[in-house]
Amino acid sequence: MIVLPGKLPLAIVLLMFVSTFIFIRFSVRMIRAGVSWWPGNITPGGKHIHHMVFGVVFMIAAGFGVFSPIGDHSPWPEIFAGLFGVGTALVLDEFALILDLKDVYWSEQGRVSVDAVVIGVAVCALMLLGATPLGITDNFRGWQVVAGLVLFHGTFAVLTMLKGKIWTGLFALFIPILGVVGAVRLAQPQSPWARSRYPAGSAKAIRAERREREVRWFDRLRNSLYNAVAGRPSQ
């Protein structure tokens, strides 16, 4: 199921991605707790080198390597896949820092990094299970059919994201039916769709606000899981 279809590099990417994320989160939590026996931050000359810097280097090295003359000869594809998985985990773990261009690692905004990691793991796992973007498979022939699928499923995925359902929209790229469901459902109150299409005081705006309050249990569950895995944000 993995080796014969040629999915071994992808499986290695997923394994190294998850392993590296678990290790780096354990490491930063040890540093945050001030554990004396654990190595601290890398600060040559007093300058803190974030681990995403090493992640970028690993990803670049893996990219150059896989396109080099040895990139098609085993075991190099598997080695470069592992290197890419490590680098991707290090970069996405500090995705919020890249997004905000400031150190928000332990703040509430830093939770965006964990969201990015979860989405990355889910997308990689879906690809490993055989899911293809926008429902395109080898059975489809002709650029017209492929372009139509991309336009149809892609439109629903984008609409879902505009309605504030980012996770659903991203997963809809691999499970198209999710995009149809997300596009027809009510938008979240602060989403671009709601701000432009739901006037203040309108029935849809009121329903969106009420539904937002009703689903807060999911946010509490997610925050509890994130606290257990990634650590509690600073007040």
Side-chain angles (χ1 to χ4, degrees):
M1 294 177 63
I2 294 178
V3 177
L4 292 181
K7 296 180 181 179
L8 182 58
L10 186 61
I12 293 175
V13 168
L14 180 60
L15 176 63
M16 296 306 297
F17 186 105
V18 174
S19 301
T20 302
F21 173 70
I22 293 174
F23 169 77
I24 199 62
R25 276 288 167 170
F26 175 80
S27 176
V28 295
R29 292 181 71 172
M30 291 295 99
I31 295 173
R32 187 189 193 191
V35 178
S36 58
W37 51 268
W38 189 260
N41 292 317
I42 300 176
T43 55
K47 183 178 182 62
H48 179 198
I49 305 298
H50 291 274
H51 50 262
M52 65 180 174
V53 175
F54 300 97
V56 170
V57 173
F58 291 156
M59 292 175 69
I60 293 174
F64 286 167
V66 78
F67 290 114
S68 69
I70 64 173
D72 293 330
H73 305 288
S74 186
W76 291 107
E78 292 77 15
I79 293 174
F80 293 138
L83 193 61
F84 184 81
V86 172
T88 305
L90 294 176
V91 170
L92 289 186
D93 186 56
E94 294 195 314
F95 178 76
L97 281 72
I98 301 173
L99 187 64
D100 291 336
L101 295 180
K102 60 182 179 180
D103 194 347
V104 293
Y105 194 86
W106 290 116
S107 69
E108 192 65 34
Q109 299 97 308
R111 289 301 174 92
V112 175
S113 297
V114 188
D115 286 334
V117 168
V118 171
I119 291 172
V121 170
V123 169
C124 190
L126 285 171
M127 294 176 66
L128 189 62
L129 292 174
T132 56
L134 301 174
I136 300 171
T137 67
D138 293 337
N139 297 325
F140 295 112
R141 294 290 184 269
W143 68 268
Q144 297 92 340
V145 176
V146 174
L149 283 171
V150 171
L151 181 62
F152 181 78
H153 294 314
T155 298
F156 283 114
V158 170
L159 286 176
T160 301
M161 295 182 193
L162 288 175
K163 287 193 170 185
K165 305 164 187 177
I166 305 300
W167 283 35
T168 305
L170 289 172
F171 288 137
L173 297 175
F174 292 88
I175 309 175
I177 188 62
L178 293 178
V180 177
V181 175
V184 299
R185 294 193 65 195
L186 201 64
Q188 293 187 357
Q190 303 303 320
S191 66
W193 184 275
R195 290 198 300 267
S196 62
R197 303 297 295 272
Y198 300 170
S202 65
K204 285 188 175 181
I206 295 173
R207 284 173 53 206
E209 291 284 354
R210 183 170 64 248
R211 180 170 294 180
E212 178 74 6
R213 291 192 295 269
E214 291 173 354
V215 297
R216 289 295 171 83
W217 64 270
F218 174 78
D219 292 332
R220 291 195 296 269
L221 176 61
R222 184 185 64 175
N223 288 337
S224 298
L225 291 174
Y226 282 11
N227 288 341
V229 174
R232 189 179 298 275
S234 302
Q235 297 297 327

Short mmCIF file of all heavy atoms in Angstrom, two decimals, residues 96-136:
data_model
loop_
_atom_site.label_atom_id
_atom_site.label_comp_id
_atom_site.label_asym_id
_atom_site.label_seq_id
_atom_site.Cartn_x
_atom_site.Cartn_y
_atom_site.Cartn_z
N ALA A 96 3.29 31.42 12.83
CA ALA A 96 2.71 32.68 13.32
C ALA A 96 3.76 33.80 13.35
O ALA A 96 3.43 34.96 13.13
CB ALA A 96 2.12 32.48 14.72
N LEU A 97 5.02 33.45 13.61
CA LEU A 97 6.07 34.46 13.61
C LEU A 97 6.29 35.01 12.21
O LEU A 97 6.54 36.20 12.02
CB LEU A 97 7.38 33.88 14.15
CG LEU A 97 7.52 33.74 15.67
CD1 LEU A 97 6.64 32.62 16.21
CD2 LEU A 97 8.98 33.47 16.05
N ILE A 98 6.22 34.12 11.22
CA ILE A 98 6.36 34.55 9.83
C ILE A 98 5.18 35.43 9.43
O ILE A 98 5.34 36.45 8.75
CB ILE A 98 6.46 33.33 8.90
CG1 ILE A 98 7.65 32.46 9.30
CG2 ILE A 98 6.58 33.77 7.45
CD1 ILE A 98 7.73 31.14 8.54
N LEU A 99 3.99 35.04 9.88
CA LEU A 99 2.78 35.76 9.51
C LEU A 99 2.74 37.16 10.11
O LEU A 99 2.39 38.13 9.44
CB LEU A 99 1.55 34.96 9.94
CG LEU A 99 0.18 35.47 9.49
CD1 LEU A 99 0.05 35.41 7.98
CD2 LEU A 99 -0.93 34.64 10.15
N ASP A 100 3.11 37.29 11.39
CA ASP A 100 3.03 38.56 12.09
C ASP A 100 4.34 39.34 12.08
O ASP A 100 4.38 40.49 12.51
CB ASP A 100 2.60 38.35 13.54
CG ASP A 100 1.16 37.88 13.65
OD1 ASP A 100 0.39 38.14 12.72
OD2 ASP A 100 0.80 37.25 14.67
N LEU A 101 5.42 38.69 11.63
CA LEU A 101 6.76 39.32 11.62
C LEU A 101 7.17 39.82 13.00
O LEU A 101 7.81 40.86 13.15
CB LEU A 101 6.81 40.47 10.60
CG LEU A 101 6.65 40.06 9.13
CD1 LEU A 101 6.73 41.29 8.24
CD2 LEU A 101 7.72 39.05 8.73
N LYS A 102 6.78 39.07 14.03
CA LYS A 102 7.23 39.34 15.39
C LYS A 102 7.06 38.07 16.21
O LYS A 102 6.33 37.16 15.80
CB LYS A 102 6.46 40.51 16.02
CG LYS A 102 4.96 40.30 16.11
CD LYS A 102 4.28 41.52 16.71
CE LYS A 102 2.77 41.33 16.78
NZ LYS A 102 2.10 42.53 17.36
N ASP A 103 7.74 38.03 17.34
CA ASP A 103 7.75 36.82 18.16
C ASP A 103 6.45 36.71 18.96
O ASP A 103 6.29 37.32 20.01
CB ASP A 103 8.95 36.83 19.11
CG ASP A 103 9.21 35.46 19.73
OD1 ASP A 103 8.32 34.60 19.62
OD2 ASP A 103 10.28 35.26 20.31
N VAL A 104 5.51 35.91 18.44
CA VAL A 104 4.23 35.70 19.12
C VAL A 104 4.09 34.22 19.50
O VAL A 104 2.97 33.72 19.65
CB VAL A 104 3.05 36.15 18.23
CG1 VAL A 104 3.06 37.65 18.02
CG2 VAL A 104 3.08 35.41 16.88
N TYR A 105 5.21 33.53 19.65
CA TYR A 105 5.20 32.08 19.81
C TYR A 105 4.32 31.64 20.97
O TYR A 105 3.53 30.71 20.84
CB TYR A 105 6.63 31.58 20.01
CG TYR A 105 6.78 30.08 19.87
CD1 TYR A 105 6.97 29.50 18.63
CD2 TYR A 105 6.73 29.24 20.99
CE1 TYR A 105 7.12 28.13 18.49
CE2 TYR A 105 6.87 27.88 20.86
CZ TYR A 105 7.06 27.32 19.61
OH TYR A 105 7.19 25.96 19.49
N TRP A 106 4.45 32.32 22.13
CA TRP A 106 3.69 31.89 23.31
C TRP A 106 2.44 32.73 23.54
O TRP A 106 1.83 32.64 24.60
CB TRP A 106 4.58 31.93 24.54
CG TRP A 106 5.63 30.87 24.56
CD1 TRP A 106 6.98 31.04 24.52
CD2 TRP A 106 5.43 29.45 24.59
NE1 TRP A 106 7.62 29.84 24.53
CE2 TRP A 106 6.70 28.84 24.58
CE3 TRP A 106 4.29 28.64 24.63
CZ2 TRP A 106 6.86 27.46 24.61
CZ3 TRP A 106 4.46 27.26 24.65
CH2 TRP A 106 5.73 26.69 24.64
N SER A 107 2.08 33.55 22.59
CA SER A 107 0.85 34.35 22.72
C SER A 107 -0.32 33.62 22.08
O SER A 107 -0.16 32.56 21.48
CB SER A 107 1.04 35.72 22.07
OG SER A 107 1.12 35.58 20.67
N GLU A 108 -1.51 34.20 22.23
CA GLU A 108 -2.69 33.59 21.63
C GLU A 108 -2.58 33.54 20.11
O GLU A 108 -3.04 32.58 19.47
CB GLU A 108 -3.94 34.39 22.03
CG GLU A 108 -5.25 33.69 21.72
CD GLU A 108 -5.44 32.42 22.52
OE1 GLU A 108 -5.00 32.36 23.68
OE2 GLU A 108 -6.02 31.46 21.96
N GLN A 109 -1.94 34.57 19.51
CA GLN A 109 -1.75 34.56 18.05
C GLN A 109 -0.87 33.40 17.61
O GLN A 109 -0.94 32.94 16.47
CB GLN A 109 -1.12 35.87 17.57
CG GLN A 109 -1.97 37.10 17.86
CD GLN A 109 -1.54 37.79 19.13
OE1 GLN A 109 -1.43 37.16 20.18
NE2 GLN A 109 -1.28 39.08 19.05
N GLY A 110 -0.03 32.92 18.52
CA GLY A 110 0.86 31.82 18.18
C GLY A 110 0.14 30.52 17.91
O GLY A 110 0.72 29.58 17.34
N ARG A 111 -1.14 30.44 18.29
CA ARG A 111 -1.92 29.23 18.02
C ARG A 111 -2.09 28.99 16.53
O ARG A 111 -2.41 27.88 16.10
CB ARG A 111 -3.28 29.33 18.70
CG ARG A 111 -3.21 29.21 20.22
CD ARG A 111 -2.57 27.87 20.59
NE ARG A 111 -2.34 27.74 22.01
CZ ARG A 111 -3.22 27.19 22.86
NH1 ARG A 111 -4.39 26.76 22.41
NH2 ARG A 111 -2.92 27.08 24.12
N VAL A 112 -1.89 30.03 15.73
CA VAL A 112 -1.97 29.86 14.27
C VAL A 112 -0.93 28.84 13.80
O VAL A 112 -1.17 28.09 12.85
CB VAL A 112 -1.77 31.22 13.56
CG1 VAL A 112 -1.73 31.05 12.05
CG2 VAL A 112 -2.88 32.18 13.95
N SER A 113 0.21 28.79 14.47
CA SER A 113 1.24 27.83 14.11
C SER A 113 0.75 26.40 14.30
O SER A 113 1.00 25.53 13.45
CB SER A 113 2.49 28.06 14.97
OG SER A 113 3.05 29.32 14.73
N VAL A 114 0.05 26.15 15.40
CA VAL A 114 -0.46 24.80 15.64
C VAL A 114 -1.53 24.46 14.61
O VAL A 114 -1.60 23.33 14.13
CB VAL A 114 -1.02 24.69 17.07
CG1 VAL A 114 -1.38 23.24 17.39
CG2 VAL A 114 -0.01 25.20 18.09
N ASP A 115 -2.37 25.44 14.27
CA ASP A 115 -3.35 25.22 13.19
C ASP A 115 -2.65 24.81 11.90
O ASP A 115 -3.08 23.88 11.21
CB ASP A 115 -4.17 26.49 12.95
CG ASP A 115 -5.19 26.74 14.04
OD1 ASP A 115 -5.61 25.77 14.68
OD2 ASP A 115 -5.58 27.90 14.24
N ALA A 116 -1.56 25.51 11.57
CA ALA A 116 -0.83 25.22 10.33
C ALA A 116 -0.25 23.81 10.37
O ALA A 116 -0.27 23.09 9.36
CB ALA A 116 0.28 26.25 10.13
N VAL A 117 0.26 23.39 11.53
CA VAL A 117 0.83 22.05 11.65
C VAL A 117 -0.26 21.00 11.50
O VAL A 117 -0.08 20.00 10.79
CB VAL A 117 1.55 21.90 13.01
CG1 VAL A 117 1.89 20.44 13.28
CG2 VAL A 117 2.81 22.74 13.04
N VAL A 118 -1.40 21.20 12.15
CA VAL A 118 -2.50 20.24 12.05
C VAL A 118 -2.97 20.10 10.61
O VAL A 118 -3.20 18.99 10.11
CB VAL A 118 -3.67 20.67 12.96
CG1 VAL A 118 -4.89 19.80 12.72
CG2 VAL A 118 -3.26 20.58 14.43
N ILE A 119 -3.11 21.23 9.93
CA ILE A 119 -3.53 21.19 8.52
C ILE A 119 -2.48 20.48 7.67
O ILE A 119 -2.82 19.68 6.80
CB ILE A 119 -3.78 22.62 8.01
CG1 ILE A 119 -5.02 23.21 8.69
CG2 ILE A 119 -3.98 22.63 6.50
CD1 ILE A 119 -5.24 24.68 8.40
N GLY A 120 -1.21 20.77 7.92
CA GLY A 120 -0.15 20.12 7.17
C GLY A 120 -0.16 18.60 7.35
O GLY A 120 -0.03 17.85 6.38
N VAL A 121 -0.32 18.15 8.58
CA VAL A 121 -0.38 16.71 8.85
C VAL A 121 -1.60 16.09 8.17
O VAL A 121 -1.51 15.02 7.55
CB VAL A 121 -0.43 16.45 10.37
CG1 VAL A 121 -0.74 14.99 10.66
CG2 VAL A 121 0.89 16.84 11.01
N ALA A 122 -2.75 16.76 8.26
CA ALA A 122 -3.96 16.22 7.66
C ALA A 122 -3.85 16.12 6.15
O ALA A 122 -4.24 15.11 5.56
CB ALA A 122 -5.16 17.10 8.05
N VAL A 123 -3.32 17.15 5.51
CA VAL A 123 -3.18 17.13 4.05
C VAL A 123 -2.22 16.03 3.61
O VAL A 123 -2.49 15.28 2.65
CB VAL A 123 -2.71 18.50 3.53
CG1 VAL A 123 -2.30 18.42 2.07
CG2 VAL A 123 -3.81 19.54 3.71
N CYS A 124 -1.10 15.90 4.31
CA CYS A 124 -0.12 14.86 3.97
C CYS A 124 -0.73 13.48 4.16
O CYS A 124 -0.51 12.57 3.34
CB CYS A 124 1.13 15.02 4.83
SG CYS A 124 2.52 13.98 4.32
N ALA A 125 -1.48 13.29 5.24
CA ALA A 125 -2.12 12.00 5.50
C ALA A 125 -3.16 11.68 4.43
O ALA A 125 -3.28 10.53 3.98
CB ALA A 125 -2.77 11.99 6.88
N LEU A 126 -3.93 12.68 4.00
CA LEU A 126 -4.91 12.46 2.95
C LEU A 126 -4.24 12.04 1.64
O LEU A 126 -4.71 11.15 0.94
CB LEU A 126 -5.75 13.72 2.73
CG LEU A 126 -6.81 14.03 3.79
CD1 LEU A 126 -7.39 15.42 3.57
CD2 LEU A 126 -7.92 12.99 3.77
N MET A 127 -3.13 12.68 1.31
CA MET A 127 -2.39 12.31 0.11
C MET A 127 -1.83 10.90 0.21
O MET A 127 -1.82 10.14 -0.76
CB MET A 127 -1.27 13.32 -0.15
CG MET A 127 -1.75 14.71 -0.49
SD MET A 127 -0.39 15.89 -0.68
CE MET A 127 0.42 15.24 -2.13
N LEU A 128 -1.39 10.52 1.41
CA LEU A 128 -0.86 9.18 1.62
C LEU A 128 -1.96 8.13 1.46
O LEU A 128 -1.71 7.02 0.99
CB LEU A 128 -0.23 9.08 3.01
CG LEU A 128 0.56 7.81 3.32
CD1 LEU A 128 1.73 7.66 2.38
CD2 LEU A 128 1.04 7.84 4.77
N LEU A 129 -3.17 8.49 1.85
CA LEU A 129 -4.31 7.57 1.72
C LEU A 129 -4.85 7.51 0.31
O LEU A 129 -5.75 6.71 0.02
CB LEU A 129 -5.42 7.99 2.68
CG LEU A 129 -5.12 7.82 4.18
CD1 LEU A 129 -6.24 8.41 5.02
CD2 LEU A 129 -4.91 6.35 4.51
N GLY A 130 -4.35 8.37 -0.56
CA GLY A 130 -4.76 8.31 -1.96
C GLY A 130 -5.64 9.44 -2.42
O GLY A 130 -6.08 9.44 -3.58
N ALA A 131 -5.93 10.41 -1.55
CA ALA A 131 -6.76 11.54 -1.96
C ALA A 131 -5.97 12.43 -2.93
O ALA A 131 -4.76 12.61 -2.79
CB ALA A 131 -7.19 12.36 -0.74
N THR A 132 -6.67 12.97 -3.93
CA THR A 132 -6.03 13.85 -4.90
C THR A 132 -6.70 15.21 -4.87
O THR A 132 -7.90 15.30 -4.62
CB THR A 132 -6.12 13.27 -6.32
OG1 THR A 132 -7.50 13.03 -6.64
CG2 THR A 132 -5.36 11.97 -6.42
N PRO A 133 -5.95 16.28 -5.12
CA PRO A 133 -6.54 17.63 -5.05
C PRO A 133 -7.68 17.81 -6.04
O PRO A 133 -7.59 17.41 -7.21
CB PRO A 133 -5.35 18.54 -5.40
CG PRO A 133 -4.14 17.73 -5.07
CD PRO A 133 -4.51 16.31 -5.37
N LEU A 134 -8.79 18.36 -5.53
CA LEU A 134 -9.95 18.74 -6.35
C LEU A 134 -10.57 17.57 -7.11
O LEU A 134 -11.23 17.75 -8.12
CB LEU A 134 -9.55 19.85 -7.33
CG LEU A 134 -9.02 21.14 -6.69
CD1 LEU A 134 -8.52 22.09 -7.75
CD2 LEU A 134 -10.09 21.79 -5.83
N GLY A 135 -10.37 16.36 -6.60
CA GLY A 135 -11.02 15.20 -7.19
C GLY A 135 -10.45 14.76 -8.52
O GLY A 135 -11.06 13.95 -9.22
N ILE A 136 -9.27 15.26 -8.90
CA ILE A 136 -8.67 14.91 -10.18
C ILE A 136 -7.92 13.58 -10.05
O ILE A 136 -7.09 13.41 -9.17
CB ILE A 136 -7.70 16.00 -10.66
CG1 ILE A 136 -8.45 17.33 -10.82
CG2 ILE A 136 -7.03 15.61 -11.96
CD1 ILE A 136 -7.54 18.50 -11.08
#
